[in-house]
Amino acid sequence: MLTRRTLAMSLTAALVAASASAQAPAPSEPAAIVTAIYTRAAAGKGDGGGAFIIASKAAKTKYLSKSLVALWAKADAHTPKGDVGPVDFDPVTNSQEPDVKSFTVTAEQSEADKATIAAALIGHHTTRKAPDQTVRYDFVREANQWKIDDIRGADDGKPWSIREMLKAALKS
């Protein structure tokens, strides 16, 4: 028979478990994915960068949405042989020479099937102006998994978008 004490303890345990799960995002949630990317980028001297998410077709498939992978493949195929591809920098660190000392991840938008996560970066050796230190990730949900659908940032205050760069590469 259920006593008041047993009921109270069960409710308390359920509340503690719910509270703990609400505090940290699940590993497959967009904020956790971005946190994992920057944890790896900031490891060691923070000069490894985040190119690992776009280094190969398998990496792109793991991290990026199907439509972004397809667009990237088209843009790469459109690039003349011997030329650098349409993305000639590390979009994760918004740089040519990665330098990540620390980072802060913030969920800016979160819906059932899309999300925007911002990562504010601080380097060991570089100081950036406010717009250039933040990289945004637009996520979409595909087959019950979150995938990056665009990466956006600014260079000298001028906005850039990976998706727009790839589209522009197809027009040239």
Side-chain angles (χ1 to χ4, degrees):
M1 187 161 174
L2 198 59
T3 65
R4 285 185 189 176
R5 184 181 309 177
T6 305
L7 180 60
M9 289 174 55
S10 297
L11 287 173
T12 301
L15 287 172
V16 168
S19 173
S21 67
Q23 291 173 355
S28 61
E29 294 298 315
I33 294 168
V34 173
T35 298
I37 289 169
Y38 284 101
T39 298
R40 182 170 170 183
K45 295 180 181 180
D47 57 358
F52 64 89
I53 71 169
I54 58 171
S56 66
K57 184 177 179 180
K60 288 176 184 166
T61 301
K62 177 180 177 181
Y63 290 99
L64 308 180
S65 68
K66 288 179 183 176
S67 68
L68 188 57
V69 170
L71 179 61
W72 207 310
K74 275 184 177 177
D76 279 345
H78 192 264
T79 302
K81 200 171 206 146
D83 281 2
V84 176
V87 178
D88 62 350
F89 69 106
D90 178 7
V92 170
T93 61
N94 190 16
S95 67
Q96 292 289 340
E97 297 180 24
D99 178 22
V100 181
K101 178 180 179 181
S102 62
F103 59 92
T104 304
V105 173
T106 306
E108 293 185 336
Q109 175 191 356
S110 184
E111 297 178 18
D113 60 347
K114 62 183 178 176
T116 300
I117 307 297
L121 309 177
I122 296 173
H124 289 279
H125 310 290
T126 56
T127 304
R128 301 178 194 204
K129 295 179 182 173
D132 294 1
Q133 71 184 14
T134 301
V135 178
R136 287 179 173 76
Y137 294 81
D138 295 327
F139 281 84
V140 294
R141 189 183 286 275
E142 290 181 347
N144 291 326
Q145 292 184 332
W146 287 101
K147 300 288 186 164
I148 299 167
D149 197 46
D150 198 5
I151 304 173
R152 300 177 288 122
D155 183 28
D156 289 331
K158 183 180 176 189
W160 57 262
S161 156
I162 292 297
R163 187 171 281 282
E164 293 306 315
M165 286 179 188
L166 296 172
K167 287 179 184 177
L170 290 173
K171 294 178 184 175
S172 61

